[in-house]
Amino acid sequence: MNQTKNVPLLDLSEQYEPIKNDIFKKFQEIFETKRFIHGPEVEGLEKETAEYCGTKFAVGVSSGSDALIIALMTEEIGHGDEVITTPFTFFATVGAISRVGAKPIFVDIDKDTFNMDVTQIEAKITPNTKAIMPVHLFGQMADMDAIMAIAKKHNLVVIEDSAQSIGGKYQSDDGTNYKSGAMGTYGCYSYFPSKNLGCMGDGGMVVTNDEAKYLKLKQMRNHGEVKRYHHQFIGGNFRIDALQAAVLRLKLPLLDAQHGGRQKNAAFYEATVKNDKVQLPVIDKKCTSIYNQYTLRTSDRASLQEHLNNKGIGNAIYYPIPLHLQECFTDLGHKKGDFPVSELACEEVLSIPIFGGLKENEVQRVVEALNSY
Ligand SMILES: *Cc1c(COP(=O)(O)O)cnc(C)c1O
């Protein structure tokens, strides 16, 4: 009956079609050289990413999850240590803290931005606290001025989970416009295909301005080797491969234009969606979001979701369960009600299509669907 094609939540064609032949050419080149690990593509990507993010150094790694883990390992954070973060995030943030043996300590989120409520951080600091891990959710950065001030006062490391926010910006009180990942001790990115800058598989990056930490990250990535077969630390295999690095180098120059497409769509929604039952994303005036997701709030989500499904509008829930209530974290001893703002967000959020390659009539259809709800 419904002949019109659905509006997809995300379609990667926009990102790959223009550079398809360049990618194949690059693959052939790498195939000829047989340099699949490390080498010029990885080094090139690291240099270009550091430049793009405004940091001195960058280390390519195997995934966004591993980027977080390797940053924690480089700080030698482990058993008995505590890391303060948010329960409203993708699993990997809290998974990384737990996997190095440290204890995740949660603060609730701000109801408008979905990012850490920075006013709750200081009360959670103990002598065991080693780091703060803010997540810049859906493309918008957390309140980094406040987080950096607290970290400085208490001598804590800041590991930015920038997996969803590469290229997102924050206008600091010091007058500088920082890119996501550049203010903290470490910035961690993911190249999972659905992130704003994704590769054709798994990949990630850690950036830092500290040379000693950069060198240690590089060792950690390669089993803690200082030189061949001499291991100073127990690291791991956290390498990104040359094929993925090559794809990312072709995609990085196009990233800002794609961000622009997302921002244009967001502005269009902002101007045309008029429905009291639907709350649009709130972007802090210090932030420029890159809209990895465009996330609505509504009190009766099931009915909105049904309405969008009937209209053929792609949608998804990020995230349905806060991490403090996940089965695997039962031993942290949390219960429902501990982080009420996060819990309510899990019941109310719904993400809709935002990617830059949406056609004008598709964006119109999303607006019509929201306004007729
Ligand atoms: C995607 C994501 C990660 C993990 O990245 P992978 O590359 O999938 O391992 C970590 N944190 C957040 C917030 C993410 O969205």
Side-chain angles (χ1 to χ4, degrees):
M1 281 188 309
N2 188 356
Q3 298 294 331
T4 24
K5 234 173 114 243
N6 285 0
V7 181
L9 183 63
L10 176 65
D11 182 347
L12 296 176
S13 310
E14 160 213 14
Q15 297 183 21
Y16 284 100
E17 281 307 319
I19 53 168
K20 198 165 75 181
N21 291 332
D22 301 327
I23 292 177
F24 294 155
K25 225 171 25 199
K26 253 301 165 211
F27 280 7
Q28 188 144 23
E29 222 179 277
I30 293 169
F31 181 77
E32 299 301 335
T33 66
K34 316 272 189 305
R35 291 206 65 180
F36 300 130
I37 297 288
H38 294 314
E41 293 298 338
V42 172
E43 282 159 25
L45 176 68
E46 290 174 342
K47 193 170 152 282
E48 287 149 18
T49 304
E51 245 161 55
Y52 178 83
C53 298
T55 60
K56 290 199 183 117
F57 308 104
V59 178
V61 296
S62 31
S63 70
S65 306
D66 287 344
L68 297 168
I69 288 174
I70 196 174
L72 290 160
M73 286 173 73
T74 299
E75 289 300 319
E76 299 181 23
I77 290 172
H79 291 279
D81 297 331
E82 295 175 356
V83 178
I84 298 175
T85 192
T86 154
F88 188 64
T89 175
F90 178 62
F91 178 80
T93 314
V94 184
I97 297 167
S98 303
R99 279 185 56 196
V100 299
K103 185 176 180 190
I105 303 291
F106 297 115
V107 296
D108 211 343
I109 55 168
D110 176 85
K111 71 172 181 15
D112 290 326
T113 64
F114 302 118
N115 284 325
M116 278 176 112
D117 179 349
V118 294
T119 65
Q120 298 187 18
I121 295 174
E122 271 198 294
K124 295 292 176 85
I125 294 175
T126 75
N128 296 327
T129 309
K130 290 285 155 24
I132 306 173
M133 191 179 279
V135 180
H136 308 311
L137 206 67
F138 304 145
Q140 168 169 224
M141 287 175 68
D143 186 358
M144 285 299 290
D145 277 336
I147 291 168
M148 293 312 292
I150 294 166
K152 190 168 176 200
K153 182 171 158 198
H154 297 274
N155 197 24
L156 303 174
V157 165
V158 175
I159 301 171
E160 293 180 60
D161 184 340
S162 298
Q164 299 185 9
S165 62
I166 189 164
K169 289 186 209 135
Y170 181 85
Q171 173 78 54
S172 165
D173 292 338
D174 73 12
T176 314
N177 228 333
Y178 289 98
K179 289 248 185 87
S180 176
M183 285 181 85
T185 325
Y186 303 89
C188 301
Y189 308 100
S190 162
Y191 297 131
F192 187 78
S194 66
K195 304 297 159 89
N196 281 33
L197 179 61
C199 63
M200 292 169 63
D202 279 307
M205 185 70 74
V206 187
V207 294
T208 183
N209 285 312
D210 183 312
E211 186 165 18
K213 294 184 193 301
Y214 162 68
L215 294 172
K216 193 165 169 187
L217 280 167
K218 289 223 293 188
Q219 287 175 23
M220 283 294 175
R221 167 175 72 177
N222 210 21
H223 296 293
E225 264 187 7
V226 264
K227 61 178 198 209
R228 196 103 170 116
Y229 303 125
H230 292 253
H231 301 267
Q232 189 178 5
F233 314 102
I234 302 171
N237 172 358
F238 296 116
R239 296 182 294 257
I240 187 170
D241 55 73
L243 290 170
Q244 299 301 347
V247 173
L248 289 160
R249 290 184 77 191
L250 291 169
K251 291 184 79 188
L252 182 59
L254 312 176
L255 182 61
D256 281 343
Q258 288 156 10
H259 287 338
R262 288 170 186 260
Q263 287 156 348
K264 186 168 155 239
N265 290 339
F268 187 75
Y269 289 153
E270 183 74 33
T272 53
V273 174
K274 307 270 181 248
N275 188 332
D276 290 345
K277 296 197 287 279
V278 176
Q279 189 195 308
L280 303 183
V282 179
I283 305 302
D284 188 281
K285 61 181 188 313
K286 293 170 95 173
C287 295
T288 308
S289 179
I290 53 129
Y291 295 102
N292 181 244
Q293 299 296 341
Y294 191 86
T295 304
L296 310 170
R297 286 190 85 126
T298 186
S299 55
D300 186 0
R301 180 174 59 196
S303 82
L304 176 60
Q305 199 167 22
E306 194 191 334
H307 177 76
L308 292 180
N309 288 343
N310 288 338
K311 298 270 179 192
I313 309 296
N315 61 82
I317 299 170
Y318 306 110
Y319 297 93
I321 304 171
L323 292 170
H324 66 285
L325 299 180
Q326 291 287 350
E327 186 179 350
C328 65
F329 295 128
T330 321
D331 59 349
L332 295 174
H334 292 298
K335 58 182 186 316
K336 205 163 162 47
D338 283 358
F339 303 100
V341 186
S342 299
E343 290 166 27
L344 188 62
C346 287
E347 286 169 27
E348 294 190 342
V349 289
L350 192 63
S351 298
I352 59 167
I354 190 68
F355 65 98
L358 281 170
K359 297 182 190 69
E360 212 169 302
N361 70 312
E362 292 178 317
V363 188
Q364 298 273 10
R365 276 178 59 196
V366 176
V367 172
E368 278 157 28
L370 288 172
N371 287 346
S372 64
Y373 166 61

